[in-house]
């Protein structure tokens, strides 16, 4: 129970990787808040239907007021967010195509959720973390940003920004004993991406073959790293990007 007494907020935690992170952190003893556009209450109930150690909140990461309201609500129920997992993003629903074929609106929509979102959430939780001189921010990036993966320019670029933002947070928050690190998965078989046939057809086999450990990645392959980054075991590590993709790239 390495996270006993801590409160975690997992954005976009109602499905996919976010739900797997929430389940692991809850099993580690944390109180878990799942914040998502939809399905948050049901997901929280699946962790603890008494509501004592899990809470679901409707929250839009791209809307500063919505984020502020949710973080205030966590202050009331659980005392504040000690550990933030910035997981929400536009990903599994995106259409893959050459960069010239994206409209400016498509580009900005991805940037709003995937870059403004983590910024809004970090900004909202920082005062509580600073006041207690302890905090963990875990930003979910992607190895695609380090590879420069083709045919998802807006998404890949947004995840590059997440890695850079992580480094800035590390520099700006280190004095308060708050760490910020990024988890960079590769293509991982979450429930929603499995429904995107085009994405799986374009990337599935090639990505599998690019790995040192040549198999599919599952959400369960990632949760241990998130647990480590949330815990005291990673106390002297900040600004780092941990690639968890079976040795597809070495950084
Ligand atoms: N699955 C993969 O292959 C993979 C690989 C690398 C990185 N990632 C990253 O991991 C994270 C989770 O991926 P996933 O496969 O579970 O994605 P997903 O698309 O299945 O789930 C994303 C979640 O975010 C929520 N969300 C979207 N917009 C939101 C908003 N404005 N406010 C709040 N919540 C919002 C959705 O409702 C959903 O629950 C994302 O950051 C993604 O970029 C995923």
């Amino acid at each position: 129970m390495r996270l006993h007494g801590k409160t975690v907020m997992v954005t976009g935690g109602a499905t996919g990787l976010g739900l797997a992170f929430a389940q692991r952190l809850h099993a580690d003893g944390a109180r878990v808040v799942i914040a998502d556009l939809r399905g948050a209450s049901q997901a929280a109930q699946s962790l603890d239907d008494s509501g004592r150690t899990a809470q679901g909140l409707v929250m839009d990461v791209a809307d500063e007021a919505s984020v502020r309201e949710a973080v205030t609500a966590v202050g009331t129920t659980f005392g504040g967010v000690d550990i933030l997992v910035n997981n929400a993003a536009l990903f599994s629903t995106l259409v893959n195509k050459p960069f010239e074929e994206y409209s400016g609106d498509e580009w900005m929509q991805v940037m709003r959720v995937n870059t403004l979102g983590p910024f809004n959430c970090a900004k909202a939780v920082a005062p509580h973390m600073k006041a207690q001189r302890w905090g963990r921010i875990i930003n979910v990036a992607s190895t695609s940003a380090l590879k420069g993966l083709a045919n998802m320019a807006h998404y890949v670029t947004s995840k590059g920004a997440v890695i850079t933002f992580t480094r800035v947070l590390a520099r700006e928050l280190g004095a308060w004993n708050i760490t910020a690190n990024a988890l960079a998965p590769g293509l991982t078989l979450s429930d929603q991406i499995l429904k995107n046939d085009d994405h799986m057809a374009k990337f599935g086999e090639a990505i599998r073959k690019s790995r040192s450990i040549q198999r599919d990645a599952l959400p369960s392959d990632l949760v241990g790293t998130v647990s480590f980054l949330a815990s005291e075991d990673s106390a002297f590590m900040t600004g780092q990007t941990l690639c968890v993709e079976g040795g597809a790239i070495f950084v």
Side-chain angles (χ1 to χ4, degrees):
M1 301 297 258
R2 77 207 302 202
L3 299 181
H4 183 73
K6 303 291 188 204
T7 299
V8 183
M9 175 183 268
V10 183
T11 70
T15 61
L17 300 187
L19 181 57
F21 301 151
Q23 287 164 340
R24 171 57 188 262
L25 298 171
H26 191 258
D28 283 340
R31 293 179 290 260
V32 172
V33 178
I34 291 179
D36 207 316
L37 291 174
R38 59 193 78 82
S41 297
Q42 295 91 311
Q45 275 165 19
S46 74
L47 298 181
D48 174 8
D49 64 9
S50 78
R52 279 195 297 276
T53 62
Q55 179 183 19
L57 292 173
V58 176
M59 186 180 94
D60 177 353
V61 294
D63 176 347
E64 190 173 5
S66 164
V67 172
R68 221 181 307 116
E69 201 178 306
V71 169
T72 302
V74 180
T76 308
T77 49
F78 293 147
V81 177
D82 306 312
I83 300 162
L84 169 67
V85 183
N86 265 324
N87 165 82
L90 291 180
F91 168 60
S92 57
T93 52
L94 297 175
V95 176
N96 312 118
K97 50 191 178 183
F99 85 92
E100 306 99 307
E101 293 178 21
Y102 289 114
S103 67
D105 283 349
E106 282 176 292
W107 180 275
M108 289 313 295
Q109 198 192 0
V110 169
M111 290 300 157
R112 266 178 62 73
V113 178
N114 296 13
T115 68
L116 181 62
F119 162 77
N120 283 339
C121 295
K123 191 172 163 183
V125 300
H128 169 75
M129 292 182 180
K130 280 184 169 179
Q132 66 178 10
R133 300 188 76 81
W134 195 94
R136 296 277 182 273
I137 298 175
I138 301 162
N139 293 326
V140 182
S142 166
T143 53
S144 65
L146 301 165
K147 297 172 184 169
L149 193 74
N151 295 314
M152 278 188 101
H154 50 1
Y155 174 80
V156 173
T157 305
S158 75
K159 292 300 183 178
V162 167
I163 291 171
T164 304
F165 182 48
T166 303
R167 294 173 179 169
V168 174
L169 286 176
R171 292 279 185 205
E172 294 199 12
L173 297 174
W176 286 271
N177 201 28
I178 300 165
T179 68
N181 290 290
L183 164 71
L187 179 62
T188 305
L189 304 189
S190 59
D191 43 7
Q192 299 307 309
I193 196 63
L194 280 168
K195 293 181 192 159
N196 186 332
D197 294 336
D198 180 54
H199 189 99
M200 292 309 295
K202 273 199 180 109
F203 297 115
E205 179 64 6
I207 284 187
R208 210 164 30 240
K209 283 193 174 144
S210 74
R211 295 174 176 159
S212 302
I213 301 169
Q214 294 190 342
R215 65 163 173 81
D216 286 325
L218 301 173
S220 56
D221 289 311
L222 306 176
V223 297
T225 304
V226 171
S227 171
F228 165 67
L229 291 176
S231 78
E232 209 46 40
D233 289 342
S234 61
F236 199 49
M237 198 179 127
T238 192
Q240 307 302 313
T241 297
L242 271 70
C243 299
V244 184
E245 207 204 339
I249 48 167
F250 305 121
V251 291

